[in-house]
């Protein structure tokens, strides 16, 4: 696990540039109640219906730490293979905003609950790279200001105020927009496996602040060797991006913007920016010069948080099988490639479905081809489910049906091509694969006599093509196609090929 990210060069007027990316992910802790109050956490309640006196910051109210949220943060830290700090502390981050009634946010500053860790990330092509984690800390979320309900007033909804967030800060270890999206995807997968965040990005329960800078080739390597940020360009932080696509678009736009400024002889102001998905551009929100002085100080209402090592150990023992371990196991147990295993583990339901199908095939046939099961699950089934807006856990086709379909291919009853047709009938609810093959007469023709007859007729009708194929052997494809057409796609393609080669003298 030492692979680092790989940069792509962007050609500018004055030479090549590279991107450097570090992410701060905000993940809402999956918990029934808030970080320091007993108010309910949930989506869909009416405005200000989930607000306790603590969340509304009424005078004299005191925060009481929610032990379950602490457990969730520790679990997450363990899942990120990170240092669990047995002593951490809560600080007040002071700023004024209408949706923050306390006038400060309770967060963790220099003593976070989780320290350094590392995450292995899958790229789309199946290769992996490591992203180092700097820290994870617990903090309160703010409420919501609503500006579009009234032309003259702003409304405030405090339902979200005080909800527990985990902020996961990465080192600047990503080099392309694809890598940044892949990193967020992997973090999401880990948190969902752990049950510490529901990962719902549409609702904003998982969102990222994306830090972008650009530099000349070689500078990043010097940063990694020395650890000195002075080798890197000035970064801009794009706040609250909540989809993989937006993350990529924001990075691409921002990198180009910075390169243009630098090539025109300007300098980058370190600032906070917003991504506008309609215009596909980033806009300045505030510069660091006018940035708030947060006047962090330890929250006097809360004691330092001390964890018992035995308690941490007990949590570690309850961890589920994590994505990387599952990936390893799918590879060794079923002989899958790293790529296939990587696609399956993105959601544990996917992996479970695959395993159920592969297991039932194992029992019957010794599971010669788990790769074929994996292909059917990740290609045909997943696209069908996606097209119909359904989750794999609620798949109308049970895993045993996919297993049976693969079994029919493996034992030569149907060809892969016919299997696709059978799959459509399965999806339409016509029954189990074997029944459909039977009822629709789709059994593969393995009978060489019948295939031979079709070939003879074809050659007799096309003598010119038959002699031309000797000079151009790849033209055999036309003959294969014709025989398949002749037999309604049911002839065994391997047999057709073999017989054709013989008869054409190839
Ligand atoms: P702040 O609260 O000021 O944003 P943090 O330490 O919480 O500071 O987060 C800084 C983030 O910016 C980290 O994810 C870090 O990896 C990233 N980062 C720091 N320097 C650079 C840089 N030059 N280019 C890209 N990302 C950077
Ligand atoms: Mg930040």
């Amino acid at each position: 696990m030492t692979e680092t990210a790989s940069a792509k060069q962007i050609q500018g007027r004055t030479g090549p540039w590279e991107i450097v990316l570090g992410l701060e992910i905000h993940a809402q802790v999956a918990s029934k109640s808030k970080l320091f109050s007993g108010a309910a956490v949930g989506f869909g309640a009416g405005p200000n219906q989930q607000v306790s006196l603590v969340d509304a910051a009424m005078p004299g109210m005191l925060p009481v730490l929610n032990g379950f949220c602490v457990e969730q943060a520790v679990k997450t830290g363990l899942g990120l293979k990170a240092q669990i700090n047995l002593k951490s502390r809560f600080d007040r981050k002071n700023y004024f905003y209408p949706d923050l009634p306390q006038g400060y946010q309770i967060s963790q500053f220099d003593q976070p609950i989780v320290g350094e860790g590392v995450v292995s990330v899958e790229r789309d092509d199946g290769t992996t790279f490591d992203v180092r984690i700097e820290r994870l800390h617990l903090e309160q979320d703010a409420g919501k200001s609503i500006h579009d309900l009234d032309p003259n007033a702003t409304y405030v909804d405090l339902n979200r105020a005080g909800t527990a967030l985990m902020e996961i800060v990465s080192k600047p270890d990503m080099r392309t927009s694809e890598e940044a999206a892949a990193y967020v995807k992997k973090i999401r997968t880990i948190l969902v496996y752990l049950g510490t965040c529901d990962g719902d990005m549409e609702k904003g329960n998982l969102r990222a602040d994306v830090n972008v800078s650009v530099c000349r080739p070689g500078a990043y390597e010097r940063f990694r060797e020395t650890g000195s940020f002075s080798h890197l360009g000035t970064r801009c932080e794009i706040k609250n991006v909540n989809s993989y696509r937006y993350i990529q678009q924001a990075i691409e736009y921002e990198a180009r913007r910075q390169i243009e400024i630098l090539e025109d002889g300007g300098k980058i102001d370190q600032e906070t920016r917003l991504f506008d998905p309609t215009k596909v551009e980033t806009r300045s929100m505030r510069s660091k010069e006018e940035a708030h002085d947060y006047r962090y100080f330890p929250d006097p209402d809360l004691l330092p948080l001390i964890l018992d090592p035995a308690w941490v150990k007990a949590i570690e023992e309850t961890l589920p099988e994590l994505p990387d371990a599952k990936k390893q196991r799918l590879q060794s147990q079923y002989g899958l490639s790293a790529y296939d295993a990587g696609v399956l583990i993105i959601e544990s339901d996917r992996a479970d479905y695959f395993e159920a199908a592969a297991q039932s095939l194992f029992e019957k046939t010794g599971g010669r081809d788990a790769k074929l099961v994996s292909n059917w699950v990740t290609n045909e089934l997943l696209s069908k489910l996606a097209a119909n807006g359904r989750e794999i856990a609620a798949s109308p086709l049970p895993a045993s049906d996919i297993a049976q379909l693969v079994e029919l291919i493996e034992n030569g009853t149907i060809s892969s091509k016919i299997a696709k047709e059978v799959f459509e009938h399965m999806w339409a609810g016509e029954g189990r694969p074997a029944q459909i093959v039977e009822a629709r007469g789709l059994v593969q023709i393995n009978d060489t006599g019948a295939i031979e007859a079709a070939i003879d007729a074809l050659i007799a009708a096309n003598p010119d093509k038959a002699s031309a194929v000797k000079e151009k052997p790849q033209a055999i494809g036309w003959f294969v196609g014709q025989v398949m057409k002749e037999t309604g796609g049911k002839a065994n393609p391997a047999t057709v090929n073999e017989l054709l080669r013989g008869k054409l003298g190839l």
Side-chain angles (χ1 to χ4, degrees), residues 351-374:
D352 289 349
Y353 188 98
F354 160 77
E355 287 207 86
Q359 287 292 345
S360 91
L361 201 63
F362 254 123
E363 280 157 24
K364 282 220 165 115
T365 67
R368 272 162 299 165
D369 209 350
K371 160 114 187 110
L372 201 50
V373 177
S374 154

Side-chain angles (χ1 to χ4, degrees), residues 344 347-354 376-378 381-383 385-386 389-399 402:
L344 288 170
E347 281 175 55
S348 59
D349 288 342
R350 263 188 215 180
D352 289 349
Y353 188 98
F354 160 77
W376 274 89
V377 173
T378 56
L381 183 66
L382 285 184
S383 12
L385 289 166
R390 300 183 78 145
E391 299 289 331
I392 197 162
S395 167
L397 298 178
I402 297 294

Side-chain angles (χ1 to χ4, degrees), residues 24 26 93 167 169 209 211 235 237 239 272 288:
E24 300 157 74
H26 291 270
K93 182 179 181 180
E167 177 169 337
V169 183
D209 297 347
N211 294 272
R235 70 182 158 110
E237 178 178 358
K239 277 275 174 205
T272 304
K288 275 277 159 167

Side-chain angles (χ1 to χ4, degrees), residues 20 22-24 169-172 211 213 229 232-233 235 237 288:
V20 176
L23 267 61
E24 300 157 74
V169 183
S170 85
K171 306 251 188 194
N211 294 272
S213 69
F229 281 81
L232 299 181
R235 70 182 158 110
E237 178 178 358
K288 275 277 159 167

Side-chain angles (χ1 to χ4, degrees), residues 221-505:
E221 287 68 23
R222 285 195 289 285
F223 157 72
R224 288 301 287 261
E225 279 155 29
T226 59
S228 166
F229 281 81
S230 66
H231 295 292
L232 299 181
T234 303
R235 70 182 158 110
C236 288
E237 178 178 358
I238 309 158
K239 277 275 174 205
N240 276 331
V241 197
N242 73 338
S243 87
Y244 302 127
R245 191 156 63 96
Y246 294 167
I247 288 171
Q248 288 188 234
Q249 290 177 333
I251 292 169
E252 297 294 334
Y253 176 89
E254 181 59 19
R256 234 173 296 121
R257 186 188 72 88
Q258 292 184 13
I259 290 170
E260 268 169 38
I261 292 175
L262 292 169
E263 296 204 318
D264 286 344
K267 70 182 237 316
I268 307 298
D269 292 327
Q270 187 177 336
E271 60 180 4
T272 304
R273 300 178 69 85
L274 275 182
F275 177 64
D276 178 338
T278 353
K279 295 198 174 137
V280 196
E281 63 179 31
T282 65
R283 271 201 304 274
S284 182
M285 201 172 136
R286 55 174 187 258
S287 74
K288 275 277 159 167
E289 289 88 80
E290 58 188 84
H292 309 88
D293 171 6
Y294 291 124
R295 290 168 292 122
Y296 275 104
F297 64 87
D299 192 309
D301 291 337
L302 290 158
L303 288 168
L305 176 57
I306 311 288
L307 305 180
D308 178 354
W311 183 74
V312 174
K313 186 103 193 70
I315 294 175
E316 192 163 9
E317 276 156 16
T318 67
L319 292 186
E321 181 181 39
L322 289 169
D324 290 341
K326 200 184 277 292
K327 185 176 166 191
Q328 283 291 321
R329 186 173 60 75
L330 293 185
Q331 286 179 249
S332 60
Q333 189 173 337
Y334 301 97
L336 295 185
S337 66
Y339 175 80
D340 287 333
V343 174
L344 288 170
I345 55 108
I346 295 281
E347 281 175 55
S348 59
D349 288 342
R350 263 188 215 180
D352 289 349
Y353 188 98
F354 160 77
E355 287 207 86
Q359 287 292 345
S360 91
L361 201 63
F362 254 123
E363 280 157 24
K364 282 220 165 115
T365 67
R368 272 162 299 165
D369 209 350
K371 160 114 187 110
L372 201 50
V373 177
S374 154
N375 286 349
W376 274 89
V377 173
T378 56
N379 299 330
E380 251 62 37
L381 183 66
L382 285 184
S383 12
K384 202 61 157 177
L385 289 166
N388 288 274
R390 300 183 78 145
E391 299 289 331
I392 197 162
S395 167
L397 298 178
S400 55
D401 276 10
I402 297 294
Q404 192 180 79
L405 185 65
V406 171
E407 191 189 344
L408 292 171
I409 303 169
E410 281 194 334
N411 66 21
T413 307
I414 54 173
S415 65
S416 306
K417 190 151 167 280
I418 292 289
K420 294 199 175 156
E421 198 182 319
V422 175
F423 180 77
E424 293 299 326
H425 296 301
M426 288 161 65
W427 187 266
E430 290 181 23
R432 303 210 63 205
Q435 288 169 335
I436 293 169
V437 169
E438 172 87 35
R440 294 188 163 264
L442 294 172
V443 175
Q444 177 162 264
I445 304 171
N446 291 313
D447 168 14
T448 43
I451 298 174
E452 256 176 302
I455 291 176
D456 289 341
L458 190 63
I459 292 176
N462 299 280
D464 45 336
K465 283 208 168 76
S467 49
V469 88
K470 293 203 175 66
E471 265 89 77
K472 235 178 105 202
Q474 67 270 34
I476 193 175
W478 180 83
F479 284 92
V480 176
Q482 291 301 310
V483 177
M484 295 308 283
K485 210 156 127 193
E486 235 2 73
T487 56
K490 290 183 288 182
N492 181 332
T495 314
V496 172
N497 251 297
E498 201 186 304
L499 290 174
L500 264 174
R501 284 184 180 282
K503 299 222 174 232
L504 292 168

